[in-house]
Amino acid sequence: MDRRSFIRKAGASGVGAAAAAAALATPAIAQSNPKVTWRLASSFPKSLDTIYGGAEVFSKMLSEATDGNFQIQVFASGELVPGLQAADAAAAGTVEAAHTVAYYYWGKDPTWALGAAVPFSLNARGMNAWHYHGGGIDLFNEFLGAQGLFGLPGGNTGVQMGGWFRKEINSLADLKGLKMRIGGFAGKVIERLGVVPQQIAGGDIYPALEKGTIDAAEWVGPYDDEKLGFYKVAPYYYYPGWWEGGPTVHLLFNKAKYEELSPAYKSLVRTAAQAADANMLQKYDYVNPPAVRRLVAGGAKLRPFSQEIMAACFDKANEVYDEMESNNAPFKKIWESIKAFRKEHYLWAQVAEYNYDTFMMVQQRNGKL
């Protein structure tokens, strides 16, 4: 072989080998990650850092898992659309995603609320068990699909508080004529006991309580409520929020946009959503204990709803459910699934968990922890 020809061929072969080696050196996942840029509309203000932060946790995880190729920009309530229109914006394609609570849209169809929380439903652990292992995600997506959406759990606050009251509520008679800022499904139940539900934006609650325009208001729980200072004008802090035993915060995606994603990206979306879901509840569990201590030190007076009130609300809630099941097939299908698991969940909860927690709570009260 001619010496010069051999050198030329060897050089070309070397370049090809180097290119192949470079390709092999690039992680396979990076090669399969196309650029995706989405916008997400949140229903929450940045000041509620834990619940708003759920969308940021989700976005950050997706970006890190794809070397920055899958980017979701999070917009707080009001920056792109009003907070209570986040799901509508995702369905319309104005944004690709929303981070919201499905019961905000219960006025369109009460079935919306079942994916989040309804009175006397499951607690946070129960909701997650039902969603991930009881078919809840798929059942709710049968309903969401008709709205042009695909949804995944993206957070949970845990059981919420029952709200701030200007006066003590000792009996059912004290509820008659009481003007309370309480939204959606819960308002429909509690009005049957004489309460007058009021729809008031978060920023307007404090002055309404201060002026006596309303007598009570529910919000979230100690960590979030502390920021709004309700204890200064309505010191009685009741519990539990029986209408939100374990509210799921959802990540809702425009269905067509979600279906465009590769199988790998869909898997990453599911994984990041579940991680954000767990992270929110874990954070609330950590920040609420010191917050409730600060509230009590500042003048808040903790009060439980009486068993009389709880039982009456439970009965009224079941009346509402019976009416809805009779004329709403999607509602009936999902609610029957939740009810079946609720019965089993609270059977098991009475055994090891309840007894362990009760014993440890007694030790805490006795100053032994």
Side-chain angles (χ1 to χ4, degrees):
M1 179 181 291
D2 178 80
R3 179 173 176 272
R4 292 180 179 177
S5 175
F6 174 79
I7 292 172
R8 284 197 303 272
K9 290 179 180 178
S13 176
V15 170
L24 287 172
T26 304
I29 191 170
Q31 297 178 54
S32 62
N33 285 345
K35 291 283 187 182
V36 174
T37 303
W38 281 3
R39 299 190 303 171
L40 180 151
S42 172
S43 285
F44 316 108
K46 292 180 180 179
S47 59
L48 298 179
D49 58 286
T50 303
I51 195 165
Y52 169 82
E56 292 187 318
V57 169
F58 171 69
S59 174
K60 183 173 183 286
M61 288 182 172
L62 277 182
S63 178
E64 290 177 348
T66 60
D67 292 327
N69 286 316
F70 197 154
Q71 295 284 338
I72 296 183
Q73 187 175 4
V74 179
F75 292 89
S77 173
E79 288 184 343
L80 290 181
V81 296
L84 299 185
Q85 295 177 23
D88 299 323
T94 306
V95 295
E96 290 80 11
H99 190 229
T100 187
V101 187
Y103 57 51
Y104 289 157
Y105 314 95
W106 85 282
K108 299 179 179 183
D109 184 326
T111 310
W112 278 94
L114 292 174
V118 292
F120 300 102
S121 183
L122 293 158
N123 61 16
R125 283 182 61 174
M127 282 301 290
N128 280 329
W130 176 75
H131 273 305
Y132 292 109
H133 298 283
I137 290 175
D138 292 337
L139 277 173
F140 195 44
N141 272 314
E142 287 181 20
F143 171 76
L144 290 177
Q147 325 301 321
L149 294 165
F150 175 78
L152 292 169
N156 199 303
T157 68
V159 62
Q160 296 192 4
M161 292 292 281
W164 299 88
F165 292 72
R166 286 164 56 89
K167 64 177 184 178
E168 287 193 79
I169 305 299
N170 296 312
S171 68
L172 288 171
D174 293 329
L175 295 176
K176 301 291 185 182
L178 185 117
K179 298 186 293 294
M180 183 176 183
R181 187 272 183 191
I182 186 169
F185 216 124
K188 189 173 182 66
V189 172
I190 206 168
E191 70 181 356
R192 297 187 177 210
L193 294 171
V195 173
V196 183
Q198 306 287 310
Q199 301 290 331
I200 300 175
D204 297 329
I205 297 174
Y206 186 96
L209 282 170
E210 185 177 35
K211 296 173 184 175
T213 306
I214 58 174
D215 306 303
E218 61 87 28
W219 190 235
V220 182
Y223 182 71
D224 289 334
D225 291 12
E226 182 183 24
K227 296 180 174 71
L228 300 182
F230 296 146
Y231 64 93
K232 299 174 185 176
V233 290
Y236 298 101
Y237 198 20
Y238 275 84
Y239 60 90
W242 44 262
W243 49 92
E244 292 184 271
T248 296
V249 182
H250 265 86
L251 286 158
L252 300 178
F253 307 97
N254 178 276
K255 187 178 180 183
K257 286 294 183 180
Y258 177 79
E259 291 300 332
E260 289 175 4
L261 296 176
S262 67
Y265 270 9
K266 287 179 181 177
S267 179
L268 283 174
V269 166
R270 285 179 173 272
T271 301
Q274 190 165 359
D277 182 25
N279 184 75
M280 184 186 293
L281 182 59
Q282 291 157 4
K283 184 174 179 183
Y284 271 118
D285 282 345
Y286 191 77
V287 299
N288 275 327
V292 78
R293 283 184 177 274
R294 291 191 297 268
L295 285 168
V296 170
K301 300 174 183 179
L302 293 177
R303 296 288 189 274
F305 286 124
S306 70
Q307 290 302 298
E308 175 196 25
I309 290 173
M310 292 288 287
C313 291
F314 181 78
D315 290 341
K316 294 300 180 184
N318 286 330
E319 289 179 8
V320 174
Y321 293 137
D322 288 344
E323 293 169 8
M324 291 180 175
E325 285 186 279
S326 69
N327 57 28
N328 187 323
F331 183 96
K332 179 180 175 65
K333 183 177 183 180
I334 297 176
W335 182 231
E336 285 185 342
S337 174
I338 292 174
K339 283 193 297 182
F341 178 62
R342 181 182 63 173
K343 187 175 182 179
E344 296 301 305
H345 176 69
Y346 285 110
L347 170 66
W348 166 234
Q350 294 174 56
V351 186
E353 198 83 31
Y354 174 79
N355 282 276
Y356 176 75
D357 284 351
T358 301
F359 176 82
M360 294 302 292
M361 289 171 189
V362 170
Q363 307 317 303
Q364 194 276 340
R365 289 192 175 191
N366 291 337
K368 293 184 177 181
L369 298 185

